[in-house]
Amino acid sequence: MTYPDLEIDMTTPRRDFLGLLGAATLLGGHLPEALSATAGPSPSSPTRGPWDMTWRSRLVGAHRAVFDAPEVSEGDPVLRAVIWGRQMTEVFGTKPSGMSRVLVLRHNGIELAMQDSYWAAFDASTRHGFRDAAGAPLKVNPVRAARAEVPEPFRDLTLERFAAEGGVVLACDVALRVYVVPRYVATGLSEAAAYATAVRALLPGVILQPSGIFALSVAQ
C-alpha cells in the first residue's frame, strides 16, 4: 500500500514506523481539547447508556466522511482518516472547518480506543505486532499520539491529530464488552467493576455508542 501524494519512500514496512507511534502515558502527555471531552456513559455505572449523541452537531461543512475500523489493521484506519483530511485540503483547498470526519472503532478495532495503561497491562502490542525501535513490544497505544522518533510525515498520523482537526472518534459498546471487559474480569474484577474500569480506560474524548453498526449508520 502506498501514498504517492505524501512524496515519501514507503519501502520501510508500515508496521515498522507504526510501531514507533506510541507515546508517554496519558498522565504525562498533553491532549488537545478535542480529546479531553467526557467519554461515553458514566464509568460509575455498569449499565448501558445514556448515550452521548451531541457529536452529531459537529458534523458540518460540505465535505464529510465516515471511516470504519473493525480491525486494528496495523493502525491503517487512523492513518486513512488523517490522510483524507490532508488530501481534501490539497485537492480542494478545504479547511478543517469545512469538513467533517467520523472514525468508528469497533470489533477488534476497539483496542485502538484504549489508553496506554490498557495496552501495557494486556500486552496488546504483542497481539497486533507493534514494536519499538529496539524490537520490543510497545507498551503504549501506537496510534494515540506523535513521538519524536517517528519520522515525518508519519509522526502526526494519530488519533490526537485527528481529534485536533475536528475528527469525531466513536467506540462500540458491544466490542468493549466482548473484547475488553473479559480481560479485566480475568484480573479478578466482577463483570460490573470490569465494565466500569474498561470505560475509564477509554481514551479521553472517545465517545461510546450502543454498537459500531449503530454509530456507522448515524454518522452516515
Side-chain angles (χ1 to χ4, degrees):
M1 182 175 184
T2 59
Y3 299 105
D5 52 283
L6 293 179
E7 298 180 354
I8 55 174
D9 181 7
M10 288 294 288
T11 57
T12 300
R14 190 164 54 243
R15 182 174 293 169
D16 288 352
F17 70 78
L18 281 170
L20 296 172
L21 285 174
T25 62
L26 288 171
L27 293 177
H30 171 70
L31 291 175
E33 183 175 338
L35 273 178
S36 299
T38 301
S42 168
S44 64
S45 172
T47 59
R48 304 186 71 200
W51 307 105
D52 178 4
M53 303 304 297
T54 60
W55 56 270
R56 292 179 298 168
S57 65
R58 295 161 56 188
L59 305 185
V60 298
H63 305 283
R64 307 180 186 186
V66 57
F67 299 88
D68 183 20
E71 300 292 339
V72 171
S73 300
E74 299 183 324
D76 275 353
V78 178
L79 271 69
R80 293 175 184 135
V82 177
I83 289 172
W84 179 85
R86 292 182 176 181
Q87 292 173 339
M88 293 301 291
T89 298
E90 175 189 350
V91 176
F92 298 112
T94 308
K95 296 180 179 179
S97 60
M99 67 179 86
S100 295
R101 286 171 284 176
V102 178
L103 175 63
V104 179
L105 304 176
R106 65 181 182 89
H107 199 58
N108 290 315
I110 188 65
E111 292 196 284
L112 294 177
M114 307 308 294
Q115 295 186 31
D116 293 348
S117 58
Y118 169 89
W119 280 72
F122 300 111
D123 205 17
S125 287
T126 296
R127 286 195 300 281
H128 300 295
F130 293 105
R131 298 186 177 275
D132 62 21
L138 281 176
K139 297 299 183 182
V140 295
N141 182 331
V143 293
R144 180 183 69 80
R147 203 166 67 165
E149 50 265 54
V150 178
E152 292 288 1
F154 306 120
R155 189 172 300 152
D156 65 348
L157 301 182
T158 63
L159 285 168
E160 283 194 3
R161 173 53 56 190
F162 180 74
E165 294 177 350
V168 176
V169 184
L170 306 178
C172 173
D173 184 69
V174 173
L176 190 76
R177 291 173 180 271
V178 171
Y179 296 107
V180 175
V181 169
R183 299 188 190 281
Y184 287 106
V185 170
T187 69
L189 296 178
S190 67
E191 189 80 18
Y195 179 74
T197 302
V199 172
R200 287 195 297 271
L202 287 168
L203 287 168
V206 171
I207 304 171
L208 202 59
Q209 298 289 278
S211 72
I213 296 301
F214 171 86
L216 281 169
S217 67
V218 174
Q220 289 173 337

